[in-house]
Amino acid sequence: MTRRNFLSGLSVDRQAHVRTDPERLRQLWESPAARVLPVWRSKHIVISSSRAPEIVFLSVQPFVDELECATLLGQADGLAYFALDVSRFEEPHRELALAGEHDIVGLREVAPIISHADGALLAYANGMMSWHRRHLFCGACGAATSVSQAGHQRDCSQCGVVHFPRTDPAVIMLVTRGERCLLGRQASWPDKVYSTLAGFVEPGESLEEAVAREVKEESGIVVEDVRYHSSQPWPFPSSLMLGFTAIAKTERIEPQMDELEDARWVSREEILEGSAVALPSKISIARRLIEDWLESAGRAR
Ligand SMILES: [Zn+2]
C-alpha cells in the first residue's frame, strides 16, 4: 500500500506509558506544552479560513481541574495533546471565548480538506469521546463507571470490571467480475450514490468469512479469492473498516436480506463516465477500493 487512507496517519506519539504514570500525566497537563482538543457533540471546532481550515486547540487553563475528564492523545513536537468533551456548552464560540471566526464541523465534512495527520487526530479524539459518552455505566452490573488510565479505561465503581475503548471490526469489500464491480446503495443515500458492500463482523467468524457472508446476504453473489487491501478508522461511532477485494464466482444478483435498496454490476466505463452512478465520499475506504481498481485497470491497458 502506498497511500494512506483518510482518518489514518496519526503523527502524534500515543505515549501509552504515560497513561499509567499519574505524576507524569499531571506534569504534562499543567505544563505550557499542553493543548486541549475540544470535541463538541461529536463535532470539531476549526478556524474559518479561505484556505484549509485549521484545528482549534485550547489552553488547559480554563479546564485545569478537569484532568480526570481529559484523554491523553499523545505528544508531538514537544506538545502534549489532550481531548476533552465540551458538549456541556450551549454556545461554544462564546463560552470558550474563541477569538476570530470559527466553524463547528463534522468529521466527514472537514476530513477531505485537512491533512491526513490532522484528520487522524480528530478521528482519534472523536472516537475516544464517543466511547466515553456511551460507557458511563458498566455493561456488566449497571453501576457508574469512572475514567482512569489518562482516559483510556473506565472502571466500574461496583463490580470492578474495567472497560476499554471499543473498536468494532467491519468488513468492506470490492467484489469484481471481469470488467465490472458489484456496488449497492441504501435508500437514505443521495441520488445515484453507489458504494462497495460492507457489514459488521459477527462473533465466531473470521474476516474472510464475514466478507463472503455479507456479500451473499446483500447480493446473493458467491465470492472467492478474498484478499486484504487496507484499513481505516471510522469513528461513526467506533468502527474499524477492514478493506478487502474479492472475485465473484456467480453473477445473478438475488439479495437474501433487504439491507440495500439496490445492488448492481457496474462497469469501469459507467463509473468513469459518471452519469449512471456517483461514487461515495472521497474520505471513505470504499472510494479508495473503487479508485484503486480503476487505476489498476488503467495500468493494465
Ligand atoms: Zn460493574
mmCIF file of all heavy atoms in Angstrom, residues 22-50:
data_model
loop_
_atom_site.group_PDB
_atom_site.id
_atom_site.type_symbol
_atom_site.label_atom_id
_atom_site.label_comp_id
_atom_site.label_asym_id
_atom_site.label_seq_id
_atom_site.Cartn_x
_atom_site.Cartn_y
_atom_site.Cartn_z
ATOM 1 N N PRO A 22 0.578 8.632 36.815
ATOM 2 C CA PRO A 22 -0.234 9.800 37.158
ATOM 3 C C PRO A 22 0.595 11.072 37.359
ATOM 4 O O PRO A 22 0.150 12.167 37.030
ATOM 5 C CB PRO A 22 -0.926 9.399 38.467
ATOM 6 C CG PRO A 22 -0.772 7.929 38.576
ATOM 7 C CD PRO A 22 0.403 7.522 37.748
ATOM 8 N N GLU A 23 1.802 10.895 37.901
ATOM 9 C CA GLU A 23 2.637 12.074 38.174
ATOM 10 C C GLU A 23 3.057 12.751 36.869
ATOM 11 O O GLU A 23 2.951 13.962 36.698
ATOM 12 C CB GLU A 23 3.871 11.625 38.955
ATOM 13 C CG GLU A 23 4.506 12.722 39.740
ATOM 14 C CD GLU A 23 5.607 12.170 40.650
ATOM 15 O OE1 GLU A 23 5.345 11.148 41.337
ATOM 16 O OE2 GLU A 23 6.702 12.727 40.612
ATOM 17 N N ARG A 24 3.544 11.934 35.944
ATOM 18 C CA ARG A 24 3.957 12.459 34.631
ATOM 19 C C ARG A 24 2.762 13.051 33.886
ATOM 20 O O ARG A 24 2.869 14.086 33.229
ATOM 21 C CB ARG A 24 4.590 11.321 33.811
ATOM 22 C CG ARG A 24 5.014 11.700 32.417
ATOM 23 C CD ARG A 24 6.181 12.675 32.435
ATOM 24 N NE ARG A 24 6.523 13.127 31.103
ATOM 25 C CZ ARG A 24 6.824 14.384 30.788
ATOM 26 N NH1 ARG A 24 6.838 15.331 31.721
ATOM 27 N NH2 ARG A 24 7.136 14.712 29.558
ATOM 28 N N LEU A 25 1.615 12.396 34.027
ATOM 29 C CA LEU A 25 0.404 12.869 33.359
ATOM 30 C C LEU A 25 0.034 14.275 33.860
ATOM 31 O O LEU A 25 -0.240 15.182 33.070
ATOM 32 C CB LEU A 25 -0.743 11.892 33.633
ATOM 33 C CG LEU A 25 -2.067 12.229 32.969
ATOM 34 C CD1 LEU A 25 -1.977 12.084 31.452
ATOM 35 C CD2 LEU A 25 -3.186 11.331 33.508
ATOM 36 N N ARG A 26 0.072 14.444 35.165
ATOM 37 C CA ARG A 26 -0.271 15.759 35.724
ATOM 38 C C ARG A 26 0.753 16.804 35.298
ATOM 39 O O ARG A 26 0.396 17.936 34.963
ATOM 40 C CB ARG A 26 -0.387 15.674 37.250
ATOM 41 C CG ARG A 26 -0.779 16.990 37.906
ATOM 42 C CD ARG A 26 -1.411 16.835 39.266
ATOM 43 N NE ARG A 26 -2.755 16.274 39.219
ATOM 44 C CZ ARG A 26 -3.857 16.958 38.880
ATOM 45 N NH1 ARG A 26 -3.783 18.228 38.541
ATOM 46 N NH2 ARG A 26 -5.036 16.375 38.869
ATOM 47 N N GLN A 27 2.027 16.416 35.296
ATOM 48 C CA GLN A 27 3.082 17.352 34.834
ATOM 49 C C GLN A 27 2.781 17.844 33.428
ATOM 50 O O GLN A 27 2.883 19.026 33.131
ATOM 51 C CB GLN A 27 4.427 16.613 34.758
ATOM 52 C CG GLN A 27 5.293 16.740 35.971
ATOM 53 C CD GLN A 27 6.562 15.898 35.780
ATOM 54 O OE1 GLN A 27 6.838 15.387 34.679
ATOM 55 N NE2 GLN A 27 7.313 15.762 36.843
ATOM 56 N N LEU A 28 2.433 16.909 32.561
ATOM 57 C CA LEU A 28 2.133 17.286 31.167
ATOM 58 C C LEU A 28 0.925 18.209 31.108
ATOM 59 O O LEU A 28 0.917 19.218 30.412
ATOM 60 C CB LEU A 28 1.852 16.042 30.310
ATOM 61 C CG LEU A 28 3.047 15.212 29.887
ATOM 62 C CD1 LEU A 28 2.574 13.972 29.134
ATOM 63 C CD2 LEU A 28 3.992 16.028 28.990
ATOM 64 N N TRP A 29 -0.122 17.837 31.864
ATOM 65 C CA TRP A 29 -1.371 18.617 31.870
ATOM 66 C C TRP A 29 -1.123 20.055 32.333
ATOM 67 O O TRP A 29 -1.706 20.996 31.810
ATOM 68 C CB TRP A 29 -2.374 17.898 32.775
ATOM 69 C CG TRP A 29 -3.715 18.532 32.943
ATOM 70 C CD1 TRP A 29 -4.195 19.116 34.085
ATOM 71 C CD2 TRP A 29 -4.774 18.636 31.985
ATOM 72 N NE1 TRP A 29 -5.479 19.562 33.883
ATOM 73 C CE2 TRP A 29 -5.862 19.283 32.608
ATOM 74 C CE3 TRP A 29 -4.908 18.231 30.658
ATOM 75 C CZ2 TRP A 29 -7.065 19.537 31.949
ATOM 76 C CZ3 TRP A 29 -6.106 18.494 30.004
ATOM 77 C CH2 TRP A 29 -7.164 19.139 30.636
ATOM 78 N N GLU A 30 -0.237 20.187 33.312
ATOM 79 C CA GLU A 30 -0.014 21.512 33.888
ATOM 80 C C GLU A 30 1.122 22.268 33.208
ATOM 81 O O GLU A 30 1.450 23.383 33.593
ATOM 82 C CB GLU A 30 0.248 21.375 35.393
ATOM 83 C CG GLU A 30 -1.025 20.920 36.118
ATOM 84 C CD GLU A 30 -0.825 20.637 37.604
ATOM 85 O OE1 GLU A 30 0.343 20.662 38.059
ATOM 86 O OE2 GLU A 30 -1.836 20.398 38.298
ATOM 87 N N SER A 31 1.726 21.684 32.194
ATOM 88 C CA SER A 31 2.864 22.334 31.533
ATOM 89 C C SER A 31 2.382 23.251 30.414
ATOM 90 O O SER A 31 1.282 23.076 29.889
ATOM 91 C CB SER A 31 3.803 21.276 30.953
ATOM 92 O OG SER A 31 3.288 20.822 29.725
ATOM 93 N N PRO A 32 3.215 24.222 30.034
ATOM 94 C CA PRO A 32 2.823 25.110 28.927
ATOM 95 C C PRO A 32 2.687 24.361 27.603
ATOM 96 O O PRO A 32 2.129 24.883 26.646
ATOM 97 C CB PRO A 32 3.983 26.114 28.843
ATOM 98 C CG PRO A 32 4.826 25.902 30.054
ATOM 99 C CD PRO A 32 4.536 24.539 30.595
ATOM 100 N N ALA A 33 3.199 23.123 27.562
ATOM 101 C CA ALA A 33 3.141 22.344 26.314
ATOM 102 C C ALA A 33 1.781 21.676 26.098
ATOM 103 O O ALA A 33 1.522 21.125 25.036
ATOM 104 C CB ALA A 33 4.219 21.270 26.345
ATOM 105 N N ALA A 34 0.911 21.748 27.102
ATOM 106 C CA ALA A 34 -0.376 21.037 26.984
ATOM 107 C C ALA A 34 -1.328 21.778 26.053
ATOM 108 O O ALA A 34 -1.430 23.005 26.082
ATOM 109 C CB ALA A 34 -1.003 20.882 28.368
ATOM 110 N N ARG A 35 -2.020 21.020 25.226
ATOM 111 C CA ARG A 35 -3.025 21.582 24.318
ATOM 112 C C ARG A 35 -4.295 20.755 24.440
ATOM 113 O O ARG A 35 -4.232 19.513 24.431
ATOM 114 C CB ARG A 35 -2.556 21.511 22.852
ATOM 115 C CG ARG A 35 -1.327 22.340 22.532
ATOM 116 C CD ARG A 35 -1.643 23.836 22.518
ATOM 117 N NE ARG A 35 -0.477 24.644 22.192
ATOM 118 C CZ ARG A 35 0.474 25.000 23.070
ATOM 119 N NH1 ARG A 35 0.400 24.606 24.335
ATOM 120 N NH2 ARG A 35 1.493 25.736 22.690
ATOM 121 N N VAL A 36 -5.420 21.437 24.522
ATOM 122 C CA VAL A 36 -6.706 20.735 24.623
ATOM 123 C C VAL A 36 -7.389 20.750 23.259
ATOM 124 O O VAL A 36 -7.568 21.809 22.658
ATOM 125 C CB VAL A 36 -7.611 21.404 25.683
ATOM 126 C CG1 VAL A 36 -9.035 20.850 25.601
ATOM 127 C CG2 VAL A 36 -7.040 21.178 27.079
ATOM 128 N N LEU A 37 -7.748 19.573 22.794
ATOM 129 C CA LEU A 37 -8.507 19.446 21.545
ATOM 130 C C LEU A 37 -9.969 19.243 21.945
ATOM 131 O O LEU A 37 -10.343 18.185 22.442
ATOM 132 C CB LEU A 37 -7.983 18.253 20.740
ATOM 133 C CG LEU A 37 -8.731 17.903 19.454
ATOM 134 C CD1 LEU A 37 -8.843 19.092 18.526
ATOM 135 C CD2 LEU A 37 -8.037 16.765 18.732
ATOM 136 N N PRO A 38 -10.792 20.275 21.779
ATOM 137 C CA PRO A 38 -12.178 20.137 22.214
ATOM 138 C C PRO A 38 -13.016 19.351 21.217
ATOM 139 O O PRO A 38 -12.841 19.488 20.006
ATOM 140 C CB PRO A 38 -12.660 21.598 22.276
ATOM 141 C CG PRO A 38 -11.828 22.327 21.273
ATOM 142 C CD PRO A 38 -10.513 21.588 21.164
ATOM 143 N N VAL A 39 -13.902 18.508 21.729
ATOM 144 C CA VAL A 39 -14.874 17.818 20.872
ATOM 145 C C VAL A 39 -16.251 18.237 21.382
ATOM 146 O O VAL A 39 -16.550 18.104 22.573
ATOM 147 C CB VAL A 39 -14.721 16.286 20.940
ATOM 148 C CG1 VAL A 39 -15.791 15.594 20.091
ATOM 149 C CG2 VAL A 39 -13.323 15.869 20.485
ATOM 150 N N TRP A 40 -17.047 18.814 20.499
ATOM 151 C CA TRP A 40 -18.362 19.344 20.897
ATOM 152 C C TRP A 40 -19.445 18.559 20.177
ATOM 153 O O TRP A 40 -19.602 18.686 18.966
ATOM 154 C CB TRP A 40 -18.448 20.839 20.550
ATOM 155 C CG TRP A 40 -19.713 21.483 21.021
ATOM 156 C CD1 TRP A 40 -20.000 21.883 22.301
ATOM 157 C CD2 TRP A 40 -20.872 21.801 20.242
ATOM 158 N NE1 TRP A 40 -21.262 22.426 22.357
ATOM 159 C CE2 TRP A 40 -21.829 22.394 21.101
ATOM 160 C CE3 TRP A 40 -21.192 21.640 18.894
ATOM 161 C CZ2 TRP A 40 -23.072 22.817 20.670
ATOM 162 C CZ3 TRP A 40 -22.439 22.063 18.466
ATOM 163 C CH2 TRP A 40 -23.369 22.660 19.341
ATOM 164 N N ARG A 41 -20.136 17.716 20.924
ATOM 165 C CA ARG A 41 -21.264 16.945 20.376
ATOM 166 C C ARG A 41 -20.876 16.228 19.081
ATOM 167 O O ARG A 41 -21.534 16.354 18.052
ATOM 168 C CB ARG A 41 -22.486 17.855 20.207
ATOM 169 C CG ARG A 41 -22.863 18.512 21.550
ATOM 170 C CD ARG A 41 -24.034 19.457 21.481
ATOM 171 N NE ARG A 41 -24.139 20.161 22.773
ATOM 172 C CZ ARG A 41 -25.069 21.057 23.074
ATOM 173 N NH1 ARG A 41 -26.008 21.351 22.204
ATOM 174 N NH2 ARG A 41 -25.078 21.657 24.258
ATOM 175 N N SER A 42 -19.732 15.546 19.168
ATOM 176 C CA SER A 42 -19.156 14.767 18.051
ATOM 177 C C SER A 42 -18.649 15.640 16.910
ATOM 178 O O SER A 42 -18.325 15.125 15.840
ATOM 179 C CB SER A 42 -20.160 13.760 17.471
ATOM 180 O OG SER A 42 -20.521 12.847 18.457
ATOM 181 N N LYS A 43 -18.577 16.945 17.131
ATOM 182 C CA LYS A 43 -18.066 17.822 16.077
ATOM 183 C C LYS A 43 -16.773 18.493 16.520
ATOM 184 O O LYS A 43 -16.375 18.402 17.681
ATOM 185 C CB LYS A 43 -19.123 18.861 15.711
ATOM 186 C CG LYS A 43 -20.332 18.232 15.056
ATOM 187 C CD LYS A 43 -21.270 19.278 14.540
ATOM 188 C CE LYS A 43 -22.340 18.600 13.684
ATOM 189 N NZ LYS A 43 -23.228 19.578 13.087
ATOM 190 N N HIS A 44 -16.177 19.202 15.568
ATOM 191 C CA HIS A 44 -14.863 19.796 15.806
ATOM 192 C C HIS A 44 -14.893 21.283 15.516
ATOM 193 O O HIS A 44 -15.646 21.745 14.656
ATOM 194 C CB HIS A 44 -13.836 19.095 14.933
ATOM 195 C CG HIS A 44 -13.819 17.614 15.181
ATOM 196 N ND1 HIS A 44 -13.223 17.061 16.289
ATOM 197 C CD2 HIS A 44 -14.402 16.592 14.520
ATOM 198 C CE1 HIS A 44 -13.425 15.755 16.275
ATOM 199 N NE2 HIS A 44 -14.139 15.441 15.207
ATOM 200 N N ILE A 45 -14.037 22.011 16.233
ATOM 201 C CA ILE A 45 -14.004 23.457 16.060
ATOM 202 C C ILE A 45 -12.768 23.803 15.218
ATOM 203 O O ILE A 45 -11.655 23.379 15.543
ATOM 204 C CB ILE A 45 -13.947 24.174 17.421
ATOM 205 C CG1 ILE A 45 -15.110 23.696 18.303
ATOM 206 C CG2 ILE A 45 -14.000 25.692 17.235
ATOM 207 C CD1 ILE A 45 -15.079 24.241 19.728
ATOM 208 N N VAL A 46 -12.988 24.527 14.146
ATOM 209 C CA VAL A 46 -11.868 24.914 13.273
ATOM 210 C C VAL A 46 -11.912 26.420 13.026
ATOM 211 O O VAL A 46 -12.963 27.054 13.114
ATOM 212 C CB VAL A 46 -11.905 24.170 11.912
ATOM 213 C CG1 VAL A 46 -11.748 22.679 12.102
ATOM 214 C CG2 VAL A 46 -13.173 24.485 11.136
ATOM 215 N N ILE A 47 -10.738 26.955 12.746
ATOM 216 C CA ILE A 47 -10.647 28.372 12.395
ATOM 217 C C ILE A 47 -11.121 28.506 10.958
ATOM 218 O O ILE A 47 -10.622 27.817 10.061
ATOM 219 C CB ILE A 47 -9.192 28.870 12.529
ATOM 220 C CG1 ILE A 47 -8.716 28.693 13.976
ATOM 221 C CG2 ILE A 47 -9.067 30.325 12.066
ATOM 222 C CD1 ILE A 47 -7.232 28.922 14.180
ATOM 223 N N SER A 48 -12.088 29.371 10.746
ATOM 224 C CA SER A 48 -12.591 29.586 9.386
ATOM 225 C C SER A 48 -11.486 30.272 8.582
ATOM 226 O O SER A 48 -10.796 31.128 9.088
ATOM 227 C CB SER A 48 -13.795 30.509 9.388
ATOM 228 O OG SER A 48 -14.668 30.152 10.398
ATOM 229 N N SER A 49 -11.385 29.852 7.361
ATOM 230 C CA SER A 49 -10.323 30.431 6.548
ATOM 231 C C SER A 49 -10.660 30.189 5.093
ATOM 232 O O SER A 49 -11.360 29.240 4.756
ATOM 233 C CB SER A 49 -9.003 29.745 6.913
ATOM 234 O OG SER A 49 -8.078 29.885 5.879
ATOM 235 N N SER A 50 -10.153 31.057 4.260
ATOM 236 C CA SER A 50 -10.381 30.833 2.830
ATOM 237 C C SER A 50 -9.495 29.675 2.365
ATOM 238 O O SER A 50 -9.770 29.027 1.369
ATOM 239 C CB SER A 50 -10.062 32.092 2.040
ATOM 240 O OG SER A 50 -8.760 32.517 2.362
#
